[in-house]
Amino acid sequence: MAKLYIIRGIPGSGKSTYAETLKKDLWEDGHDVARFEADDYWMKDGKYCIDLKNLHAAHKWCFDKVFNAFDKGCDIVIVSNTFTRLSEMEPYINKAMERNIDITVYRMGNEFKNVHNVPEEVIEKMKNRFEDYDNEIIVKKD
C-alpha cells in the first residue's frame, strides 16, 4: 500500500532534516520514495529566493509534485511544510484518502534557528495559530 508522510512544524523545527533522514532510511529499506516541500519551489541556482506573491503557486506546485510521484510509481512520498492549520493539510489528506493511500502525520516539536530567516514575530503568529491533528506523532530531539 502506498504511504504519505506529512511532516509539519514551525520554521526551524527540523522538518527538512527529519524528512531527508526519513527518506534516506526508507530508501535503504528498499522503498521507492520521494520528498517534497513548498520551499523547493523557491530554489533558484542553489539559492532560496522566496516571493510571497507566489505562495499559492508554491503550494500548488508541491501538492502536484506529491501526487505525480505516486502516479509515477513511488510507494512512499514525504511532504514537509509548516501546515499550521488543519485546512492546509486537508487537500493532501482528502486526496490520499480518495486514492486509498495510508497517511502518517509527524509534528516537529523542536525549535532550532530557522534557515530562511523568518522573523520572530511571524514565528510567534504561526505558533499561536497551530492546530493539533488527532494521532499526529510528536518528534522532539532531547
Side-chain angles (χ1 to χ4, degrees), residues 6 63 83 85-96:
I6 297 174
F63 180 86
F83 294 122
R85 294 193 170 131
L86 299 180
S87 62
E88 296 166 354
M89 288 192 306
E90 200 169 70
Y92 289 89
I93 292 168
N94 290 343
K95 184 94 164 182

Side-chain angles (χ1 to χ4, degrees), residues 42-106:
W42 310 111
M43 294 304 291
K44 308 290 184 228
D45 299 321
K47 293 183 180 180
Y48 185 71
C49 304
I50 192 167
D51 179 356
L52 293 178
K53 292 182 295 209
N54 293 324
L55 189 59
H56 178 75
H59 283 283
K60 181 181 181 334
W61 174 89
C62 184
F63 180 86
D64 291 344
K65 286 288 199 180
V66 166
F67 290 98
N68 287 339
F70 284 120
D71 292 342
K72 291 178 181 174
C74 285
D75 60 323
I76 298 176
V77 179
I78 302 164
V79 60
S80 57
N81 288 318
T82 54
F83 294 122
T84 58
R85 294 193 170 131
L86 299 180
S87 62
E88 296 166 354
M89 288 192 306
E90 200 169 70
Y92 289 89
I93 292 168
N94 290 343
K95 184 94 164 182
M97 290 174 67
E98 284 173 18
R99 293 176 167 213
N100 200 30
I101 296 169
D102 189 48
I103 305 160
T104 300
V105 177
Y106 292 101

Side-chain angles (χ1 to χ4, degrees), residues 2-20:
K3 188 163 187 79
L4 174 64
Y5 288 99
I6 297 174
I7 301 174
R8 61 195 299 243
I10 61 169
S13 62
K15 296 179 301 296
S16 298
T17 302
Y18 188 77
E20 193 57 34

